[in-house]
């Protein structure tokens, strides 16, 4: 077996091993998703499309080569028999080459098939893991929202009970507030009345002072007029 077919057979065995690992039921998709998100696998995953295309191209080339060899060596033993130059060694050599071509055909065909299947399985496992993570996150949010809603309902019911038990107290508080408002209004009115009385008092004092001044002037005028009257007498 030449080196390329050794590599292809090794690749086939590794594909079978990976398919069996992915089929193990107790390894969850979440764990596979963690493995895929590791640093080493993440570095390889950045080039996964190119790797897949390279392997796919190599497998297609080797698969076509195996088909060509099968086509070349199929019926060669019968042609040798017809030509009359058939020998057991020649027939054995042709059958051996035909067997190798058929073996390579099956190896490359199964490897190519498993390569496509494994890519699909890995894509589906990663997608299922993301969906499970989103589902768990949504479930946690729903539980948190339910807990908060229950807490708010309990607080609301407690407030209703406190309000129902303290309706009289609330009415008394309202009355006290109304009395406070009335007292404030009365204080404002008293302050306004005091200001008005102070203004009237000042105005009365001013009028009194003006009246006294006018009396003094009147008295002075009378004093000026009275001597002249006496002289005339």
């Amino acid at each position: 077996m030449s080196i390329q077919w050794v590599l292809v057979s090794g690749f086939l065995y590794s594909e079978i091993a990976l398919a069996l690992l992915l089929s193990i039921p107790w390894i969850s998709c979440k764990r596979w998703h963690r493995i895929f998100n590791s640093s080493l696998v993440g570095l390889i995953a950045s080039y996964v499309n190119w790797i897949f295309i390279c392997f796919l191209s190599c497998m297609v080339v080797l698969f076509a080569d195996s088909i060509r060899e099968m086509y070349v060596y199929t019926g060669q033993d019968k042609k040798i028999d017809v030509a009359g130059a058939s020998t057991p060694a020649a027939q054995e050599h042709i059958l051996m080459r035909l067997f190798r071509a058929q073996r390579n055909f099956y190896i490359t065909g199964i490897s190519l098939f498993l390569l496509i299947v494994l890519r699909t399985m890995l894509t589906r496992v990663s997608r299922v893991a993301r969906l499970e993570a989103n589902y768990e996150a949504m479930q946690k949010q729903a539980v948190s929202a339910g807990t908060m809603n229950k807490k708010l309902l309990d607080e609301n019911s407690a407030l209703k009970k406190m309000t129902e038990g303290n309706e009289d107290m609330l009415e008394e508080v309202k009355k006290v507030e109304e009395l406070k408002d009335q007292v404030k209004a009365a204080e404002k009115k008293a302050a306004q009345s005091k200001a008005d009385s102070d203004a009237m008092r000042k105005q009365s004092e001013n009028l009194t002072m003006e009246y006294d001044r006018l009396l003094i002037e009147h008295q002075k005028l009378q004093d000026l007029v009275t001597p002249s009257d006496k002289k005339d007498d």
Side-chain angles (χ1 to χ4, degrees):
M1 185 181 289
S2 58
I3 187 169
Q4 70 268 22
W5 299 113
V6 173
L7 293 175
V8 171
S9 61
F11 183 69
L12 175 62
Y13 298 148
S14 62
E15 285 180 329
I16 293 171
L18 182 58
L20 290 175
L21 284 174
L22 289 173
S23 301
I24 294 174
W26 57 80
I27 301 178
S28 62
C29 295
K30 187 186 296 184
R31 185 169 297 176
W32 281 115
H33 188 65
R34 290 176 182 174
I35 294 172
F36 296 155
N37 287 334
S38 62
S39 59
L40 180 60
V41 178
L43 181 62
I44 298 172
S46 60
Y47 303 100
V48 67
N49 290 326
W50 292 102
I51 295 171
F52 175 77
I53 291 171
C54 290
F55 275 107
L56 185 64
S57 302
C58 293
M59 289 298 166
V60 169
V61 171
L62 292 173
F63 185 70
D65 183 64
S66 64
I67 293 174
R68 182 190 62 80
E69 289 185 356
M70 285 178 59
Y71 178 76
V72 169
Y73 292 107
T74 300
Q76 288 291 328
D77 56 344
K78 295 180 180 179
K79 291 180 182 179
I80 292 174
D81 288 338
V82 172
S86 175
T87 60
Q91 288 184 353
E92 185 179 352
H93 178 72
I94 291 170
L95 291 175
M96 181 185 66
R97 298 298 295 269
L98 180 61
F99 170 75
R100 287 180 180 177
Q102 290 175 348
R103 179 201 62 192
N104 298 334
F105 171 78
Y106 289 119
I107 290 174
T108 53
I110 295 171
S111 297
L112 186 62
F113 174 74
L114 285 178
L115 183 64
I116 298 171
V117 170
L118 285 174
R119 179 178 173 82
T120 305
M121 288 179 66
L122 292 173
T123 304
R124 296 291 175 85
V125 167
S126 180
R127 187 177 299 173
V128 169
R130 286 196 298 268
L131 290 175
E132 286 182 354
N134 292 332
Y135 173 74
E136 289 182 358
M138 292 175 65
Q139 192 174 10
K140 289 180 181 179
Q141 289 179 358
V143 171
S144 176
T147 304
M148 184 62 67
N149 191 15
K150 185 178 179 181
K151 185 178 179 181
L152 291 174
L153 289 174
D154 293 338
E155 290 179 356
N156 191 13
S157 60
L159 288 173
K160 284 183 178 179
K161 289 180 180 180
M162 290 176 64
T163 304
E164 290 175 357
N166 297 328
E167 287 182 355
D168 296 335
M169 186 179 293
L170 290 174
E171 290 180 359
E172 293 295 330
V173 170
K174 288 181 180 179
K175 289 181 180 179
V176 170
E177 293 294 332
E178 290 178 356
L179 290 173
K180 286 182 178 179
D181 294 336
Q182 292 177 2
V183 168
K184 287 181 180 179
E187 288 178 353
K188 287 182 180 179
K189 289 182 179 180
Q192 186 67 31
S193 299
K194 185 178 180 181
D196 293 339
S197 62
D198 290 339
M200 290 179 67
R201 182 174 58 79
K202 288 181 180 181
Q203 187 177 3
S204 176
E205 289 178 355
N206 292 330
L207 288 174
T208 303
M209 291 173 65
E210 185 67 22
Y211 178 73
D212 292 337
R213 187 181 64 82
L214 291 174
L215 284 177
I216 293 169
E217 290 181 357
H218 180 69
Q219 186 65 36
K220 288 179 178 180
L221 290 173
Q222 283 184 350
D223 292 339
L224 290 173
V225 171
T226 300
S228 60
D229 291 337
K230 287 180 178 181
K231 287 179 180 181
D232 292 335
D233 291 336

